[in-house]
Amino acid sequence: MKHFTVFLAIICLSASGQDTLPKRIPTPKPDATIFFNFRSSLHQNEEEFEITRAYFGVSQQFDDNWSASIRLDIGSPDDISDFAQQRRYAYFRKADVTYKKGNFQFSTGIIDMLTYKESEGLWGKRYLFKSMQDEHKFGNSADLGFMLRYSFPDVAEFDLAYVNGKGYNKLQNDNTFKFCTGATLTFFNPFIVRIYNDIMDKDEIQSTTSILLGFDSKRIKAGTEYVVRRNDSYRKGFHKSGSSGFLTVNVYKKVNIFGRYDYIWSEQIDELETPWNLRYDGSSLIAGVEYVVNKNIRFSLNYQDWYPYAKNLEDRAFIYCNLEVKL
């Protein structure tokens, strides 16, 4: 009789709670992006096909406020040797949980960093080449930690992050963390201003400061940015800087022409005979035409070069045919 009473109580509670059952969680959304190219050197007898990157991910919206996402990055993230492109690694490029309510957003886990997100979006050609700051190691595209964001629609957005500081493909092996602050101003649309700063304190305080001035309209996207890293790798006086200017113009329906110029330099230290970062100092030019087939496929024929300032390093210049596919 006791068990029957319990069973009846459960049935009654279930029946009375039909209207309060949680809503069905939407189906997770998978996505994939692949970068593919063929390149031919103008200085050497070198031609090759490459799959430089592949991203595979899934995102889930649990309710009006909570969401989560996971993304795998398959590539050679460090490019630490001339043979790096012959290897393939899979990393968690993103694995985060986000709470968003109104204009406030909190994310934690392996999160997208906003260090150069705005300039990368204006450049809009990640499948051709990384943004200047990404390519020359001024910051990480993702990191492990947390981020707070608050927006004033059509006016500004402010962000604050406290992260590992080593990027998404390296484990934390010390107690040094990175504190980041940024502001994106949009109240004089279509112009955009992005100001960013981060600091890491170890033997010396390493800091990175950048500013972006951008223009974003239907037919024209343009930007110029400047970044300086002080006390690189926590070494006093080891400063390096970079600047970049880029422009994309929609000339006819699905056809865009674009150009970009990067300039990287390091400060001379009196005690050293040559600039400490001379091997990585130089300039590069990217220019070409892009055809957007649809929102999932686009390709480009373009020219890319790198002219190092070190006299013992060879100049590099290539003709590229790039393809981006989104699934």
Side-chain angles (χ1 to χ4, degrees), residues 1 3 45 88 163 171 177 202 214 226 265 297 318 325:
M1 185 65 179
H3 294 92
N45 184 20
R88 286 294 178 264
V163 295
L171 296 176
F177 296 89
K202 199 173 182 181
Y226 170 76
W265 71 98
I297 300 174
F318 294 88
V325 179

Side-chain angles (χ1 to χ4, degrees), residues 233-250:
S233 299
Y234 317 105
R235 297 171 296 175
K236 187 174 182 179
F238 285 68
H239 311 320
K240 68 176 184 179
S241 302
S243 63
S244 179
F246 47 86
L247 171 68
T248 298
V249 180
N250 177 237

Side-chain angles (χ1 to χ4, degrees), residues 33-34 103 124 150 152 170 209 220 247 249 281 305 318-319:
T33 304
I34 300 173
N103 299 328
Y150 192 88
F152 298 90
K170 295 181 181 179
T209 304
I220 298 175
L247 171 68
V249 180
D281 290 346
D305 68 26
F318 294 88
I319 297 296

Side-chain angles (χ1 to χ4, degrees), residues 3-16:
H3 294 92
F4 176 78
T5 303
V6 173
F7 176 75
L8 185 61
I10 293 174
I11 295 297
C12 292
L13 288 173
S14 299
S16 63

Side-chain angles (χ1 to χ4, degrees), residues 109-111 113 140-145 163-168 178:
I110 301 177
I111 56 177
M113 298 300 295
N140 302 309
S141 58
D143 214 327
L144 180 61
V163 295
N164 179 15
K166 310 299 186 298
Y168 64 94
K178 180 185 289 186

Side-chain angles (χ1 to χ4, degrees), residues 20 32 68 89 103 110 116 121 126 143 147 152 154 167 169 173 180 188 198 208 210 216 234-235 261 278 281 313-314:
T20 61
Y89 298 91
N103 299 328
I110 301 177
Y116 44 79
R126 175 62 183 84
D143 214 327
M147 178 181 294
F152 298 90
D154 301 321
N169 56 4
N173 56 8
C180 319
F188 31 81
D198 67 49
T208 305
S210 66
D216 188 2
Y234 317 105
R235 297 171 296 175
Y261 179 76
L278 182 61
D281 290 346
L313 296 179
E314 294 183 352

